Amino acid sequence: MTILVTGAAGFIGFSVCRRLLANGQRVIGLDNLNTYYDPTLKTDRLAILQESANFSFLRIDLAQDDLMACIPAHERRSITNVLHFAAQAGVRHSMKVPAAFIDANIQGQLAVLELTRHLPALRHLVYASSSSVYGRNAALPFRETDRVDRPGSFYAVTKRTGELMAECHHHLHGLPVTGLRFFTVYGPWGRPDMAYYKFARAIFAGEPVTLYEGTDLARDFTHVDDVVEAVVQVMDHPPKDGAQLLNIGNNAPEPVTRLVSILERQLGRKANIRLTPRPSADVEYTWASIDRIRDLTGWQPSTDLESGLATFSQWFLDRMQRTV
């Protein structure tokens, strides 16, 4: 039994790989190690994974390289599950370089879908979508049955396109496929472009913390440990008929101002807050209904924001001390 994980050096991919390896699974990791954010973080994650004899790594650009040629035939025959987390992230970044999102999120999705047709032992394809697909929806909490035809960013367009591609692929070829709509994942080894990480870095350095104006800005912050548990459970629950979509969220939206206050206490420094208008690409509120995944697997998030940020803050401080 071998599990193929794309985006293995990314935040979620790395975290899932660590769990799979700890469970004794054999993992093939793919990543292009791009420079969207500091690649040192990616190579450091990768180095941890490579400590396991059950992990092998291939540096591959899904949008450019021939997966069939890159993955040896004997490896393809052993792959039982594909976890596809490789993507170009960043809501506001998609307004600057939309072509990069076409390459990574649409071309990359197509490459993985086509690869699955040549994996004879494959049981389930699980891929990363995003809460961003809910766009400008006003009804809360967000449910998988909601309309998702009013995107608020080009990033959301590419992630919704990936969902439609997966649905069509299942219709044409019959492979069980599940898309996971992740809600604001945070925690140790996280992405430096995420707001919570930026806030921590600014507080630590004594630099201004930019918050958007308005008192209602809130996010359904979801700790990476809960996300990993959800992925592992979903992997063993392929849909019996059709393609499925599942929200992966904490089901407990928190004001962004509370997140900053917690970081202030945990980092031992006061934030220098600067208010700015909210960009049109950023939604005001996210909140995941998790009834569907709870009914399917029994999964329930267990990490509250305070304790979840404590694990991140400790990791962040340790990393800052090592890199200073």
Side-chain angles (χ1 to χ4, degrees), residues 145-167:
T145 52
D146 290 347
R147 289 179 58 179
V148 284
D149 56 359
R150 299 179 70 231
S153 67
F154 193 72
Y155 169 70
V157 170
T158 63
K159 298 307 279 187
R160 178 57 182 153
T161 300
E163 292 180 348
L164 294 173
M165 292 167 68
E167 169 69 31

Side-chain angles (χ1 to χ4, degrees), residues 11-12 15 131 181-188 190 194 196 218-231 246-254 259 286-290 293 299-309 311-312:
F11 177 30
I12 295 177
S15 303
S131 63
R181 291 173 172 173
F182 293 122
F183 280 69
T184 316
V185 184
Y186 74 99
M194 294 288 286
Y196 73 94
R219 291 289 182 269
D220 200 345
F221 297 106
T222 313
H223 193 268
V224 66
D225 287 352
D226 289 330
V227 168
V228 169
E229 183 62 30
V231 171
L246 301 172
N247 287 340
I248 309 296
N250 204 48
N251 192 224
E254 296 273 7
L259 177 139
T286 64
W287 180 3
S289 165
I290 58 172
I293 184 174
W299 176 81
Q300 178 79 26
S302 60
T303 311
D304 64 87
L305 186 60
E306 182 114 21
S307 57
L309 283 175
T311 66
F312 165 74

Side-chain angles (χ1 to χ4, degrees), residues 30-65:
L30 310 183
D31 206 292
N32 68 354
L33 301 177
N34 70 23
T35 58
Y36 167 59
Y37 58 80
D38 182 5
T40 302
L41 188 58
K42 299 179 182 181
T43 56
D44 287 349
R45 294 178 185 134
L46 187 58
I48 293 173
L49 299 179
Q50 290 176 321
E51 293 173 359
S52 171
N54 283 333
F55 180 78
S56 58
F57 176 70
L58 297 171
R59 185 167 183 172
I60 290 176
D61 187 327
L62 297 177
Q64 302 295 329
D65 298 325

Side-chain angles (χ1 to χ4, degrees), residues 277-299:
R278 178 169 57 89
S280 59
D282 277 60
V283 298
E284 189 172 20
Y285 209 90
T286 64
W287 180 3
S289 165
I290 58 172
D291 292 345
R292 184 176 283 189
I293 184 174
R294 188 162 45 203
D295 291 344
L296 178 69
T297 70
W299 176 81

Side-chain angles (χ1 to χ4, degrees), residues 200 203-204 260-271 313 316-317:
I203 292 170
F204 183 81
V260 173
S261 297
I262 294 172
L263 286 173
E264 286 179 316
R265 293 197 304 274
Q266 294 178 350
L267 299 177
R269 305 186 185 192
K270 193 70 176 173
S313 295
F316 175 81
L317 290 171

Side-chain angles (χ1 to χ4, degrees), residues 75-96:
E75 296 281 28
R76 295 199 302 271
R77 287 193 294 269
S78 70
I79 294 171
T80 56
N81 293 275
V82 173
L83 305 179
H84 175 39
F85 301 123
Q88 176 60 60
V91 168
R92 287 182 294 283
H93 190 57
S94 70
M95 298 171 66
K96 300 176 182 177

Side-chain angles (χ1 to χ4, degrees), residues 199 202 207-214 260 271-277:
F199 295 160
E207 298 171 351
V209 173
T210 300
L211 295 181
Y212 300 142
E213 295 171 344
V260 173
N272 175 20
I273 295 175
R274 179 178 61 190
L275 297 178
T276 188

